[in-house]
Amino acid sequence: MKLYEHPFSSAAFKVRAVVYELGLPVTLIPVDMMKGEHKTAEFLARNPNGKVPTLDDDGFLVWESNAILCYLAAKKPESGLLPADPRGMALVQQWLQWQATTFAPSVNEVMGETVYAKFMGRSKDEAKYAAGLEKVRRDVGVLEKTLAGREYLTGKLSLADFSIVSGLQLRSAMGVDLEAFPNVKAWVARMESRESVRKSLPPM
C-alpha cells in the first residue's frame, strides 16, 4: 500500500497514526503541495479532489481520511479500532462524521489564519481567527463533556480518537489552550503518549 500525504496535513496525520498503530506495511509518499503536486494530472487520476491523503492499495484507490481509516481498520478487525457490533460501529461512525462535518471545519478556520497563513506568507485576519477559535472552543466543550469519566470517546480506543485528536496536533501553533478543558487535556496526553501518534506528529 502507498499513502500519498503531507507531513503538516492533519488528515494525513491521523492516517499515519492508524497505520503505525496497526503495524500495516504502508509506504509514505510525500506530496509537495507548495509546488502544486496535488493538482497534477498524475495525482488527480488518483484523487479527483486534488487532496491528501490518498491511499493506493495495489490499484484500489481510497480518499477521504476517515474512509481510509475504516479501510485500514477493516484489514485488522482484531484491533477493535472499528467495532463490528452495531452500537459500537454506530458510535465510532457518529464521531467520524462529527469530525468531518463539525470539528474539522472549525479547526481549518483557525489553521487558515495561523499555520497556513505563515506558509503562504500572509498576515492573520484577526476577526476570522477569533470566529474560528470560538467554534473550536465550542467543539472542544462537546469533547470535554463526552470524556468525563472515560478514557476514550466511545469508552474503548477507536478510530474516533485518532481522527479527532488530529485536529489538536498543532494546537500550540493555533493558539488553542486546553487548560479550561481538563478531560480533553488528559485525553490528548493519553493519545500522544502512544508511540503510533508520536511517530506521526509533524516535524515542528
Side-chain angles (χ1 to χ4, degrees):
M1 289 186 286
K2 298 176 182 178
L3 180 69
Y4 295 85
E5 54 100 40
H6 188 279
F8 286 97
S9 163
S10 59
F13 161 76
K14 70 172 91 165
V15 177
R16 290 195 303 270
V18 169
V19 163
Y20 293 136
E21 185 74 20
L22 296 174
L24 291 169
V26 178
T27 300
L28 303 180
I29 301 178
V31 177
D32 192 334
M33 301 179 77
M34 295 299 288
K35 292 183 179 179
E37 289 182 359
H38 58 307
K39 298 299 182 182
T40 63
E42 182 183 6
F43 189 85
L44 291 172
R46 299 187 185 96
N47 184 341
N49 302 290
K51 294 181 179 181
V52 295
T54 299
L55 184 74
D56 183 341
D57 186 1
D58 196 24
F60 178 69
L61 299 166
V62 187
W63 35 264
E64 290 300 320
S65 57
N66 286 335
I68 296 173
L69 295 188
C70 292
Y71 181 74
L72 295 174
K75 284 181 169 287
K76 281 203 170 182
E78 67 275 14
S79 70
L81 293 185
L82 181 62
D85 67 289
R87 292 188 179 187
M89 183 181 294
L91 285 176
V92 171
Q93 291 293 347
Q94 167 184 277
W95 283 111
L96 293 182
Q97 292 187 42
W98 182 83
Q99 187 275 331
T101 63
T102 303
F103 193 43
S106 300
V107 168
N108 285 340
E109 283 190 37
V110 177
M111 288 278 282
E113 300 307 322
T114 52
V115 178
Y116 298 152
K118 287 183 180 179
F119 274 140
M120 294 183 284
R122 63 173 176 80
S123 57
K124 180 196 294 185
D125 183 318
E126 293 292 349
K128 288 184 179 179
Y129 174 73
L133 194 58
E134 184 177 349
K135 292 176 185 176
V136 168
R137 287 173 175 155
R138 173 202 66 194
D139 298 342
V140 173
V142 171
L143 297 175
E144 179 71 12
K145 291 178 182 177
T146 300
L147 287 163
R150 63 176 70 176
E151 290 189 324
Y152 301 105
L153 288 168
T154 65
K156 296 180 180 179
L157 181 69
S158 75
L159 294 180
D161 300 289
F162 288 96
S163 181
I164 293 171
V165 81
S166 68
L168 296 170
Q169 60 165 325
L170 297 175
R171 59 191 177 278
S172 295
M174 292 163 55
V176 174
D177 188 352
L178 297 179
E179 289 303 318
F181 307 96
N183 295 329
V184 175
K185 183 179 179 181
W187 168 73
V188 170
R190 201 172 297 125
M191 290 300 297
E192 291 184 346
S193 71
R194 304 188 73 83
E195 183 181 2
S196 59
V197 174
R198 290 199 307 272
K199 285 177 63 177
S200 303
L201 291 170
M204 291 293 284

